[in-house]
Amino acid sequence: VGTRADERARVARGDADAFTDLYDATSRLVYTVCLRVLRNPEDAEEAAHETYVRAWALAGPFDPARGSAAAWLIVLARSRAIDRLRQRQL
């Protein structure tokens, strides 16, 4: 069984199994953040999906010394949800 640091390193290297584990551990939290901002389940699902697409793309430079993966995902999710909310208002 690996440590959390090992798991983060695996995600950063593009390990799909490690990313699946991260998704399983955080998807409810990410969706909840998106739903609180957007107040629409369909939009929240899309924003959560976009959050994980972005996280996968940015996993390499993720620095665990700056915070947990969950905190990083929350920031990404909130930002994505706010972006969608702004798009909706145009």
Side-chain angles (χ1 to χ4, degrees), residues 1-73:
V1 176
T3 66
R4 286 184 183 216
D6 292 337
E7 290 169 2
R8 286 190 295 252
R10 287 177 44 221
V11 169
R13 287 192 308 267
D15 183 322
D17 290 332
F19 194 79
T20 298
D21 293 343
L22 176 66
Y23 176 85
D24 290 344
T26 60
S27 60
R28 178 174 277 182
L29 175 64
V30 167
Y31 173 77
T32 300
V33 168
C34 293
L35 185 60
R36 285 186 180 166
V37 172
L38 294 165
R39 300 184 187 273
N40 178 292
E42 292 81 19
D43 284 345
E45 285 178 24
E46 288 182 27
H49 172 77
E50 292 166 1
T51 297
Y52 284 102
V53 169
R54 183 138 174 86
W56 180 254
L58 297 175
F62 171 73
D63 182 4
R66 295 184 63 198
S68 71
W72 177 63
L73 285 169

Side-chain angles (χ1 to χ4, degrees), residues 82-90:
I82 289 170
D83 288 346
R84 288 184 71 79
L85 191 60
R86 287 179 181 147
Q87 287 173 349
R88 208 195 282 163
Q89 294 172 347
L90 291 178

